[in-house]
Amino acid sequence: DVKVTQSSRYLVKRTGEKVFLECVQDMDHENMFWYRQDPGLGLRLIYFSYDVKMKEKGDIPEGYSVSREKKERFSLILESASTNQTSMYLCASSPGQGAQETQYFGPGTRLLVL
Amino acid sequence: AQKVTQAQTEISVVEKEDVTLDCVYETRDTTYYLFWYKQPPSGELVFLIRRNSFDEQNEISGRYSWNFQKSTSSFNFTITASQVVDSAVYFCALSGVETGANNLFFGTGTRLTVIP
């Protein structure tokens, strides 16, 4: 079974703090993704990576950056957290490139920025 | 542009009733894939099914069935004899080959509550 884990289930941070969300997958998948989920908006793609040290912007990259130093690990960074970044963050991975690839998700991190 | 519409925001049914979750999509891609995911209260999205645009055969898996109709751009999901464990948010998603890089476009989800 594919296993995608996220470092925290719940996080509370202050405005202006730098926040790191970590994601690890154990299936040697090429692609990794970060989404945020908000009520009424579904899931929106923030960034994705198709290889180590490679990254591509998704639909809503502003205010975020990412890091992929190892194949199994993909980090989402909020450089200076703001209240409008309060959300559920979901990490996913998929075996390779292509529209047919199924994405497998982690349990999510609920972030509250005060 | 890719778009997925799940018009039903919330549905409540009594246990053992059948329920259908609607999904309508828009794409200019000729080859594309459709997905359904389940998100239980624990938060993790669980993959249920993937369907490609050239395969309109309906799929049945236990109490779950999917009806793909290209003519109406719909990929509906039916749960037969619903159970309390089916309570979750269900997402329909679309990925287009021409769009590239397996970007998934999600609908806004349908929250299903099964009442015992």
Side-chain angles (χ1 to χ4, degrees):
Chain A
D1 278 354
V2 177
K3 191 70 174 176
V4 180
T5 57
Q6 295 182 229
S7 51
S8 305
R9 293 301 303 271
Y10 301 94
L11 271 181
V12 180
K13 297 292 181 181
R14 297 268 177 208
T15 301
E17 279 192 75
K18 191 169 186 176
V19 182
F20 293 86
L21 303 183
E22 305 284 343
C23 175
V24 177
Q25 51 93 5
D26 66 356
M27 287 302 293
D28 201 36
H29 283 177
E30 300 290 331
N31 289 1
M32 296 188 74
F33 306 81
W34 275 107
Y35 293 88
R36 64 176 282 175
Q37 180 182 0
D38 300 289
L41 296 177
L43 277 74
R44 294 178 291 166
L45 182 65
I46 304 171
Y47 268 98
F48 67 96
S49 168
Y50 53 88
D51 201 353
V52 175
K53 297 192 185 296
M54 305 302 289
K55 60 184 179 183
E56 293 283 346
K57 292 180 180 179
D59 299 320
I60 51 165
E62 297 77 19
Y64 303 94
S65 62
V66 290
S67 172
R68 194 166 181 202
E69 297 296 319
K70 294 184 177 181
K71 190 176 185 179
E72 67 272 17
R73 189 179 298 270
F74 192 35
S75 303
L76 179 69
I77 304 155
L78 287 64
E79 296 290 343
S80 177
S82 63
T83 55
N84 62 13
Q85 292 179 309
T86 291
S87 187
M88 170 77 142
Y89 290 88
L90 290 159
C91 176
S93 71
S94 67
Q97 295 211 43
Q100 76 282 1
E101 297 290 344
T102 297
Q103 293 186 22
Y104 298 91
F105 285 80
T109 297
R110 291 191 185 275
L111 173 66
L112 173 61
V113 182
L114 299 173
Chain B
Q2 317 279 42
K3 186 177 180 182
V4 176
T5 301
Q6 294 180 257
Q8 304 151 308
T9 306
E10 296 191 26
I11 301 176
S12 291
V13 299
V14 177
E15 201 170 18
K16 297 184 184 174
E17 286 184 350
D18 298 348
V19 58
T20 295
L21 309 182
D22 297 333
C23 173
V24 174
Y25 63 91
E26 296 175 30
T27 181
R28 292 182 180 175
D29 289 13
T30 54
T31 304
Y32 52 89
Y33 293 80
L34 295 162
F35 301 79
W36 274 97
Y37 285 86
K38 174 183 179 180
Q39 186 179 40
S42 60
E44 180 176 343
L45 264 75
V46 177
F47 166 71
L48 295 178
I49 191 171
R50 179 188 67 204
R51 191 48 117 202
N52 76 56
S53 52
F54 297 110
D55 184 1
E56 289 193 66
Q57 200 169 15
N58 289 337
E59 176 104 5
I60 298 175
S61 176
R63 296 184 297 107
Y64 295 173
S65 62
W66 291 269
N67 180 259
F68 175 31
Q69 293 200 349
K70 222 167 171 177
S71 59
T72 55
S73 298
S74 65
F75 186 43
N76 296 337
F77 173 30
T78 297
I79 301 174
T80 303
S82 60
Q83 299 176 2
V84 172
V85 293
D86 296 326
S87 295
V89 181
Y90 291 86
F91 289 95
C92 181
L94 165 71
S95 177
V97 170
E98 286 86 353
T99 307
N102 66 314
N103 287 6
L104 266 181
F105 294 86
F106 283 86
T108 52
T110 297
R111 181 179 297 277
L112 173 66
T113 302
V114 180
I115 303 164

